[in-house]
Amino acid sequence: MSRKASGLKAWVLQRATAIYIGLFSIVLLAVLLFDPPRDYAQWRDWFADPLIGIATLVYVVAILLHAWVGIRDILIDYVKPLGLRVTLLALVALGLLACGLWASQSLILVRLV
């Protein structure tokens, strides 16, 4: 695959995740404005709904992918020493992975309680 195609793939991924993040954020804002869950039990029941749980998990994955593409592009463009760039990319990847695992654990625990 050429570098041009690789850049196009990252660009498309960035735009697709931005669209999903925007749409889900609007839905979430509408729910919070017009029919907010009143207590923890209602929150738990709302997130326990399979459709909301899956949509939220896709939302988290979209945010993590969007962040990865953006931060990766910035580091590749502006951090010139290869060792530092690789180290920063690894730290960012580990941080995003930890966030994703934490969010997944939270959504799984909601379904179990």
Side-chain angles (χ1 to χ4, degrees):
M1 175 180 285
S2 70
R3 294 184 117 217
K4 201 179 241 187
S6 176
L8 177 62
K9 193 164 70 169
W11 182 86
V12 169
L13 181 64
Q14 190 82 359
R15 291 335 178 251
T17 56
I19 290 168
Y20 187 81
I21 291 167
L23 292 175
F24 189 84
S25 295
I26 290 169
V27 169
L28 186 60
L29 184 63
V31 167
L32 293 175
L33 285 175
F34 299 115
D35 189 24
R38 309 254 186 269
D39 57 11
Y40 175 74
Q42 285 184 341
W43 274 104
R44 189 184 64 230
D45 293 342
W46 191 62
F47 279 109
D49 178 3
L51 183 62
I52 299 300
I54 291 170
T56 304
L57 188 58
V58 171
Y59 180 69
V60 169
V61 170
I63 288 173
L64 296 174
L65 286 173
H66 191 85
W68 170 251
V69 171
I71 294 170
R72 183 200 63 156
D73 286 352
I74 289 170
L75 291 176
I76 288 172
D77 288 346
Y78 295 107
V79 178
K80 297 304 176 191
L82 183 60
L84 178 60
R85 185 182 332 145
V86 170
T87 302
L88 290 173
L89 286 170
L91 289 173
V92 168
L94 285 173
L96 292 174
L97 181 62
C99 289
L101 291 173
W102 174 77
S104 299
Q105 177 191 15
S106 299
L107 290 171
I108 290 169
L109 288 176
V110 163
R111 306 260 324 170
L112 295 177
V113 174

